[in-house]
């Protein structure tokens, strides 16, 4: 599976864990009033898009994909007129707080930065009781082969990295003067203790 698709799924899972009642899926990054009309059938809902920004080379040989992540949150008025606005702001604020400096459990991701959030105001949607909020941030994700790890470490036949190495035992000999000034021959075990 693509690392970028896996990263997007981690974001979706994180939002679902925050709001189990919310319908959370991915989308391609563009939406219009027809998409919002379809999404309002499942409110409250969130749509997650991961779009690529220019990548950069790393010294490890990997590419640093600067990902632009967008989460669109849609809700409708409930029991009281215009209460969807307060709920949408709450969703937007909490998703922004969650995203800030989050790596979403991916070891190849840097903490999220440049978090922006806003409510989209549109008179037609407001008259229909629909509230739309957007949270956007940047997440750096390294993709590709890490040539440094391939060059600097040892691997087994199955491709797994060797992390345990044989330990050695060191014995040192020394001469110690006792209180009478005589030499005692002692052997000391100076093998380092490994936790």
């Amino acid at each position: 599976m693509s690392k970028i698709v896996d990263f997007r799924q981690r974001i979706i899972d994180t939002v679902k864990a925050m709001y189990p009642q919310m319908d959370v899926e991915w989308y391609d990054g563009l939406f219009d009033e027809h998409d919002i009309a379809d999404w309002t059938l499942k409110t409250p809902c969130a749509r997650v898009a991961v779009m690529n920004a220019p990548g950069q080379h790393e010294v490890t040989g990997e590419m640093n994909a600067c990902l632009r992540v967008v989460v669109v949150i849609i809700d409708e008025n409930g029991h009281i007129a215009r209460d969807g606005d307060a709920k949408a702001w709450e969703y937007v604020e909490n998703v922004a707080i969650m995203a800030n400096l989050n790596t979403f459990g991916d070891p190849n991701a840097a903490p999220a930065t440049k978090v922006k959030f806003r409510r989209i105001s549109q008179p037609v949607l407001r008259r229909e009781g629909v509230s739309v909020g957007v949270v956007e941030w940047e997440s750096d994700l390294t993709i590709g082969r890490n040539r440094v790890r391939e060059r600097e470490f040892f691997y087994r036949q199955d491709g797994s990295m060797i992390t345990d190495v044989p330990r050695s035992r060191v014995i040192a000999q020394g001469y110690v003067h006792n209180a009478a000034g005589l030499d005692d021959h002692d052997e000391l075990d100076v093998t380092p203790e490994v936790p």
Side-chain angles (χ1 to χ4, degrees):
M1 177 190 284
S2 160
K3 277 189 177 181
I4 293 173
V5 171
D6 178 60
F7 186 67
R8 181 181 65 194
Q9 188 60 46
R10 288 171 182 266
I11 296 169
I12 290 170
D13 294 342
T14 303
V15 175
K16 278 184 182 178
M18 287 176 63
Y19 298 109
Q21 82 284 5
M22 188 179 282
D23 179 60
V24 185
E25 293 179 8
W26 69 272
Y27 80 108
D28 61 2
L30 300 172
F31 66 93
D32 58 17
E33 63 274 1
H34 301 294
D35 293 319
I36 292 176
D38 292 340
W39 296 343
T40 54
L41 299 174
K42 300 178 180 180
T43 56
C45 69
R47 297 296 178 257
V48 178
V50 175
M51 293 167 282
N52 221 14
Q56 304 164 352
H57 286 284
E58 294 291 322
V59 295
T60 61
E62 297 169 292
M63 287 286 295
N64 182 14
C66 303
L67 302 175
R68 191 171 137 244
V69 180
V70 179
V71 178
V72 179
I73 301 166
I74 296 115
D75 202 3
E76 288 184 295
N77 290 341
H79 305 293
I80 306 166
R82 294 184 160 183
D83 69 340
D85 178 69
K87 289 190 295 182
W89 267 119
E90 179 186 347
Y91 291 140
V92 166
E93 181 180 326
N94 288 332
V95 169
I97 292 168
M98 172 275 300
N100 187 36
L101 301 178
N102 197 338
T103 62
F104 300 96
D106 192 319
N108 295 314
T113 59
K114 300 179 185 173
V115 179
K116 301 179 222 168
F117 52 96
R118 62 185 169 274
R119 280 265 294 110
I120 296 176
S121 299
Q122 213 257 359
V124 174
L125 295 175
R126 186 181 67 239
R127 282 192 289 276
E128 292 179 5
V130 176
S131 301
V132 179
V134 177
V135 183
E136 183 179 339
W137 69 86
E138 286 185 16
S139 286
D140 291 343
L141 181 70
T142 54
I143 58 175
R145 289 176 34 217
N146 185 329
R147 288 172 179 85
V148 171
R149 291 180 72 84
E150 292 174 0
R151 186 176 60 238
E152 300 292 330
F153 295 96
F154 296 103
Y155 294 87
R156 295 183 184 88
Q157 293 289 339
D158 64 0
S160 62
M161 186 189 302
I162 297 172
T163 55
D164 263 349
V165 293
R167 295 192 177 104
S168 60
R169 182 173 174 91
V170 178
I171 296 180
Q173 289 185 334
Y175 292 97
V176 179
H177 296 287
N178 63 17
L182 302 173
D183 289 337
D184 286 336
H185 179 65
D186 281 337
E187 284 191 4
L188 300 172
D189 187 354
V190 293
T191 304
E193 290 187 22
V194 178

